Amino acid sequence: MLDQRLVRENPDLIARELGRRGLEVDLTGLQLMAQQQRNLEEQRSSLQAEGNRIGKEVGVRIKAGADPKGEEVAALRQQGNAIKHKVAVLEDEEKQLQGRLREQLLTLPNLPSPDCPDGSDETENQEVRRWGTPRRGDGLQEHWAIADRLGLLDTERSVRIAQSRFVTLFGQGARLERALINCMLDLHTNKGYREVLPPVLVNSASLTGSGQLPKFAEESFRCADDDLWLTPTAEVPVTSLHRDEIIAADQLPLRYVAYSPCFRREAGSYGRDTRGLIRLHQFNKVELYWFAHPDHSEEAHAQITADAEAVLQALELPYRVLDLCTGDLGFSARRTYDLEVWLAGAGAYREISSCSVCGDFQARRSSIRTKEGKTTRLLHTLNGSGLAIGRTMAALLENGQQEDGSVLLPEALRPYFGSDRLRPE
RNA sequence: GGAGAGGUGGCCGAGUGGUCGAAGGCGCAGCACUGGAAAUGCUGUAUAGGGGCAACUCUAUCGAGGGUUCGAAUCCCUCCCUCUCCGCCA
């Protein structure tokens, strides 16, 4: 959420920065509301001050011996009552206004970082660097074909169990998924990340806190009878881990690594990536998350990205890093580096991780602050996939496929998987 | 799901209508004492919003929301949460 004060005092800045995202917003209405809200607050609180004064005076006079039923007290009472009614009216108006203002503010995305490259869509994302040598060649299979051949998964039975875009893993496939989760968690915890296994059902406040609500309700699965949703990413529960908290500055950064299944409705993506492990309603992910000191979130962004890259390097998967342009930036992000892994079968890079710095955007929505001496400020949050498990498996299958039909696994994964390769059964 | 108890500041804990943002303790910070530390003493120590260059000041907040009252941490209603016992259960 954007700072209400900024809306009041510098709406032009907001309009300009949101313009970089390709959004045309007229903030005069919002500014007016914010100003009016403050006027109401001023009126209300000075009336309340007067009311408090009268209330105290009644107490003082009665204690001093005034007749509680006498004229003197009755007059004060009447004054008090008059003020009370005025306050009630103002308060009501103010509350409504504040509600409408907040509602609208919650739908505005974060302002992009000054360093974020300008651009209108993903074609203008900027490649920052590449790592590894992409494997190319004729006859390289795509991962679903390999998975099918090796009996790693079953999509048709998954439709019977759930519906399309779900997958059931079997045998070596299930084992590989488990190996990847453990491998990644170990990699990150060895670097000092604190492992956390959060609830998968999250309430509306949590989704609002990290930015999925109110705007993206149709992206998540909702439980009909409860205020609970299936989490679309561990970013949601982990953000709310410290909702409404004040964290001492010397404890920052708090770095978490959370494994969780993720659930997404993928509305509006029918027909895209319908085969394989790329786009599913349910997938596993290991997520990195930082609660960072507001003065050091840029370094933190570089670090969290490096920590995500380290997984790809450990798994010997070639990738490239994209600096997302303003037009492709996610709702809560100020700046994002996407990691795209090479898929040898598809012959293309595909997103496997997204590392974002959100500034104080989520912290304001979630009220997460840090205290240093006497000053309390909103802290900064960052998140990065480290990594999406299903897509990692896809990359391993495509990049590790061998002539004999087996799939060779990277060294780092072998102890977890218990073998150096997947073999035809 | 049934019965009961309870939710007060970073923590513990007092406070059943009046000047209470809240005693006391712990913790923490600063100062004094010390060669240094401990112990001790003194002082300070919530959050948000508004006004002010600032010192400072006003308002709100004692689980949440409503109500009674000139005045609510305290009384009433609704909801949420926690704990204990019973039932059910991986």
Side-chain angles (χ1 to χ4, degrees):
Chain A
M1 190 162 64
L2 303 176
D3 189 359
Q4 196 167 314
R5 193 172 191 131
L6 194 64
V7 172
R8 208 167 63 213
E9 292 171 358
N10 200 349
D12 292 346
L13 175 96
I14 297 175
R16 191 169 63 242
E17 291 301 317
L18 291 183
R20 293 177 62 208
R21 280 182 176 263
L23 280 177
E24 255 187 65
V25 278
D26 182 5
L27 287 155
T28 47
L30 269 188
Q31 183 187 26
L32 216 66
M33 281 169 84
Q35 286 169 342
Q36 201 183 344
Q37 187 272 335
R38 186 184 51 174
N39 286 343
L40 284 171
E41 183 178 341
E42 277 173 29
Q43 287 178 50
R44 191 211 71 222
S45 63
S46 62
L47 267 178
Q48 280 175 323
E50 177 66 7
N52 287 343
R53 213 209 79 235
I54 290 169
K56 278 182 188 170
E57 187 155 344
V58 172
V60 169
R61 293 211 188 169
I62 290 173
K63 224 165 216 178
D67 177 6
K69 299 224 161 69
E71 264 179 51
E72 185 188 358
V73 171
L76 284 171
R77 253 183 214 167
Q78 210 184 0
Q79 280 182 47
N81 260 324
I83 286 172
K84 188 161 60 167
H85 289 122
K86 281 190 207 162
V87 166
V89 171
L90 285 174
E91 219 168 30
D92 194 53
E93 206 178 326
E94 187 184 343
K95 221 177 239 178
Q96 277 192 30
L97 192 67
Q98 184 66 58
R100 275 188 290 145
L101 185 58
R102 183 180 162 81
E103 210 174 282
Q104 291 195 39
L105 279 176
L106 284 173
T107 66
L108 291 178
N110 201 359
L111 306 182
S113 153
D115 301 322
C116 188
D118 286 293
S120 53
D121 56 43
E122 70 272 5
T123 60
E124 296 185 70
N125 293 338
Q126 306 208 341
E127 189 173 309
V128 176
R129 59 180 167 271
R130 292 189 180 206
W131 185 92
T133 313
R135 179 177 171 191
R136 295 172 198 275
D138 291 332
L140 288 175
Q141 287 186 298
E142 295 204 49
H143 72 275
W144 62 80
I146 301 167
D148 194 43
R149 190 160 49 66
L150 297 179
L152 304 183
L153 54 84
D154 189 322
T155 42
E156 281 177 28
R157 285 197 174 89
S158 304
V159 175
R160 186 188 297 161
I161 298 170
Q163 63 175 58
S164 68
R165 284 197 194 282
F166 283 87
V167 79
T168 307
L169 297 170
F170 292 92
Q172 298 177 96
R175 187 179 178 85
L176 182 56
E177 183 93 359
R178 180 157 56 89
L180 280 168
I181 294 166
N182 282 328
C183 174
M184 291 185 199
L185 285 171
D186 283 352
L187 209 65
H188 298 304
T189 52
N190 284 338
K191 286 186 177 165
Y193 280 88
R194 185 169 189 208
E195 185 173 341
V196 50
L197 190 62
V200 170
L201 296 193
V202 296
N203 57 35
S204 299
S206 296
L207 280 162
T208 306
S210 44
Q212 282 74 15
L213 286 181
K215 234 188 149 179
F216 305 103
E218 70 286 350
E219 300 278 350
S220 292
F221 291 102
R222 186 177 50 218
C223 300
D225 295 329
D226 304 277
D227 178 31
L228 288 170
W229 308 63
L230 300 188
T231 188
T233 160
E235 174 192 345
V236 176
V238 176
T239 304
S240 280
L241 210 52
H242 292 294
R243 180 146 46 88
D244 296 319
E245 284 187 23
I246 297 172
I247 299 165
D250 58 24
Q251 297 197 17
L252 299 177
L254 295 177
R255 299 180 297 152
Y256 291 99
V257 57
Y259 154 71
S260 86
C262 303
F263 304 88
R264 298 186 183 176
R265 297 192 62 231
E266 296 293 349
S269 66
Y270 309 106
R272 278 168 61 197
D273 307 312
T274 49
R275 307 179 76 177
L277 297 166
I278 299 297
R279 193 177 301 276
L280 297 167
H281 286 311
Q282 175 180 345
F283 61 97
N284 291 311
K285 181 159 59 68
V286 168
E287 180 83 356
L288 304 175
Y289 199 99
W290 289 43
F291 295 89
H293 191 284
D295 293 339
H296 302 298
S297 57
E298 282 190 30
E299 301 97 282
H301 191 206
Q303 188 58 53
I304 198 172
T305 307
D307 291 340
E309 286 177 66
V311 181
L312 288 164
Q313 292 173 12
L315 296 177
E316 301 166 37
L317 294 169
Y319 66 91
R320 62 176 183 174
V321 182
L322 298 182
D323 192 352
L324 295 196
C325 73
T326 50
D328 201 27
L329 216 50
F331 184 77
S332 299
R334 259 172 79 68
R335 195 173 189 198
T336 298
Y337 293 119
D338 266 9
L339 307 186
E340 293 191 338
V341 71
W342 177 255
L343 295 180
Y349 285 101
R350 286 304 297 258
E351 178 185 342
I352 196 168
S353 169
S354 197
C355 302
S356 301
V357 56
C358 298
D360 62 14
F361 188 81
Q362 293 180 322
R364 183 173 293 106
R365 288 173 163 251
S366 300
S367 184
I368 311 172
R369 289 152 294 173
T370 183
K371 189 169 188 174
E372 203 167 17
K374 284 215 168 217
T375 43
T376 307
R377 303 199 266 164
L378 293 169
L379 50 70
H380 286 188
T381 60
L382 300 99
N383 62 80
S385 346
L387 308 161
I389 304 296
R391 292 186 178 186
T392 305
M393 190 187 297
L396 287 171
L397 295 179
E398 296 199 12
N399 294 330
Q401 55 185 304
Q402 305 297 308
E403 298 249 334
D404 64 2
S406 69
V407 172
L408 196 62
L409 294 173
E411 201 90 46
L413 200 55
R414 294 175 190 171
Y416 292 94
F417 185 69
S419 168
D420 69 338
R421 68 186 67 223
L422 301 166
R423 290 188 172 79
E425 283 178 339

